[in-house]
């Protein structure tokens, strides 16, 4: 039971992400697409490199066995 | 003129806040990994934080020398990058866990950071009316990311301090790691990971190309 709640908690994040992904299509004046937010983050070197390092770390973490 | 100047100062303040926020995230992540007994992971985060801090300070002291140098878009587009992802992913999935795999992955990380270091072309900041929507969306995405981090941390500490451990309170690692154990799923997961890395690095280039002359 606790394990199911834990897994549901993880699944909630992509569900919320999907909602935020779809909101700009329904209300384009109130919400902007993720690509626009990403584009603004990309302008900043520190933010960009933080994301790049995190992407690399995911592979490092799992390929090296946690 | 005054509006332009105001936009510039708002833009500079935002940039400085994003830099500070990113540095805090890097330092906290590095400290957390050191604390959980993963020194290479921790060192990677802290080394990047130090490199960014050094570069920012140098940029402030010598703006004319370091300045906001802008790099042209990298033109490595087309199917070649995906062919490289498949080849590299297949090779990586075949290398057994150990020093060689660690060396290759660290080298790959260094290349990714070097590619990410390039400063993209400047994009105009959004209009005032649009800023509210940008702020609202940014906040919502940040809350989702924070929620996921909080949940993962909760599971991580419950897993560590609860007698029933990982089976009752699985961290994301406990749930995803089995995919990296079997040869076929390890290969597939490696390809997905490398593909995602390529998308992250290419996303910026796509924008640059689209905005360019």
């Amino acid at each position: 039971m606790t394990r199911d709640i834990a897994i549901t908690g993880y699944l909630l994040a992509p569900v919320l992400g999907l909602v935020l992904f779809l909101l700009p299509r329904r209300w384009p004046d109130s919400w902007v697409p993720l690509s626009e937010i990403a584009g603004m983050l990309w302008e900043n070197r520190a933010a960009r490199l933080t994301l790049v390092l995190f992407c690399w770390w995911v592979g490092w973490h799992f390929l090296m066995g946690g | 003129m005054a509006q332009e100047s105001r936009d510039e100062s708002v833009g500079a303040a935002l940039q400085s806040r994003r830099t500070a926020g990113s540095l805090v995230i890097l330092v906290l992540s590095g400290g957390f990994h050191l604390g959980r007994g993963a020194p290479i992971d921790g060192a990677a985060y802290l080394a990047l934080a130090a490199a960014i801090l050094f570069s920012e300070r140098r940029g402030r002291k010598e703006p004319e020398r370091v300045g906001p140098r802008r790099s042209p878009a990298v033109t490595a587009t087309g199917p070649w990058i995906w062919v490289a992802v498949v080849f590299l992913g297949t090779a990586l999935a075949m290398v057994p866990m150990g020093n060689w795999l660690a060396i290759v992955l660290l080298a790959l990380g260094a290349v990714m950071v070097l590619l990410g270091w390039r400063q993209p072309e400047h994009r105009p900041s959004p209009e005032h009316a649009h800023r509210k929507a940008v702020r609202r969306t940014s906040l919502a995405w940040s809350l989702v990311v924070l929620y996921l981090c909080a949940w993962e941390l909760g599971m991580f500490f419950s897993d560590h301090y609860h007698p029933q451990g990982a089976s009752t309170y699985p961290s994301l690692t406990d749930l995803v790691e089995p995919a990296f154990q079997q040869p076929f799923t390890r290969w597939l997961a490696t390809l997905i990971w490398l593909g995602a890395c390529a998308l992250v690095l290419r996303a910026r280039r796509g924008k640059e190309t689209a905005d360019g002359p």
Side-chain angles (χ1 to χ4, degrees):
Chain A
M1 180 62 182
T2 314
R3 184 182 169 85
D4 290 342
I5 294 171
I7 293 171
T8 308
Y10 283 119
L11 289 176
L12 191 59
V15 170
L16 290 171
L18 186 66
V19 171
L20 285 179
F21 183 79
L22 293 174
L23 277 176
R25 291 164 190 246
R26 182 73 181 79
W27 291 285
D29 292 337
S30 304
W31 300 88
V32 297
L34 179 60
S35 58
E36 191 165 333
I37 304 290
M40 289 171 68
L41 273 183
W42 258 222
E43 280 269 311
N44 182 278
R45 176 175 283 152
R48 185 170 69 244
L49 288 172
T50 301
L51 187 61
V52 167
L53 184 70
F54 180 74
C55 281
W56 168 81
W57 174 81
V58 170
W60 162 265
H61 179 65
F62 287 112
L63 284 168
M64 292 299 290
Chain B
M1 189 72 176
Q3 180 63 34
E4 269 179 29
S5 163
R6 189 174 173 277
D7 281 352
E8 271 178 25
S9 69
V10 168
L14 272 175
Q15 290 293 333
S16 148
R17 210 183 298 168
R18 280 175 200 150
T19 300
S22 303
L23 285 172
V24 168
I25 290 171
L26 286 171
V27 170
L28 283 177
S29 304
F32 173 74
H33 287 303
L34 289 179
R36 78 178 179 92
I40 297 178
D41 307 43
Y45 279 95
L46 293 177
L48 183 62
I52 292 170
L53 193 62
F54 177 74
S55 166
E56 290 290 321
R57 287 186 64 143
R58 195 164 155 245
R60 269 181 208 156
K61 277 185 190 165
E62 307 169 64
E64 69 290 343
R65 199 174 146 207
V66 180
R69 282 184 299 190
R70 307 281 173 180
S71 306
V74 177
T75 51
T77 53
W80 294 109
I81 194 152
W82 303 115
V83 174
V85 161
V86 172
F87 270 103
L88 187 59
T90 306
L92 274 176
M94 286 165 66
V95 178
M97 267 185 245
N99 289 343
W100 279 112
L101 181 62
I103 290 168
V104 173
L105 286 171
L106 287 170
L108 183 66
V111 170
M112 284 174 65
V113 167
L114 284 176
L115 283 173
W117 198 274
R118 298 162 52 84
Q119 192 63 21
E121 296 297 323
H122 179 69
R123 283 149 44 92
S125 51
E127 290 167 15
H128 183 70
H130 195 52
R131 270 189 210 141
K132 274 189 177 176
V134 169
R135 203 176 304 157
R136 182 183 296 122
T137 312
S138 307
L139 181 67
W141 276 108
S142 306
L143 287 175
V144 171
V145 172
L146 276 177
Y147 160 75
L148 186 61
C149 291
W151 195 263
E152 169 71 355
L153 277 177
M155 291 300 125
F156 177 83
F157 286 114
S158 303
D159 173 357
H160 265 63
Y161 296 114
H162 199 277
Q164 288 169 297
S167 60
T168 310
Y169 301 101
S171 64
L172 212 49
T173 300
D174 297 323
L175 294 171
V176 178
E177 203 169 17
F180 284 83
Q181 303 293 340
Q182 300 302 319
F184 175 72
T185 51
R186 183 178 175 84
W187 173 75
L188 197 62
T190 306
L191 285 194
I192 292 170
W193 165 62
L194 272 181
C197 289
L199 278 177
V200 163
L201 287 167
R202 267 173 60 108
R204 175 168 70 89
R205 293 174 200 159
K207 288 274 176 205
E208 280 176 65
T209 310
D211 291 350

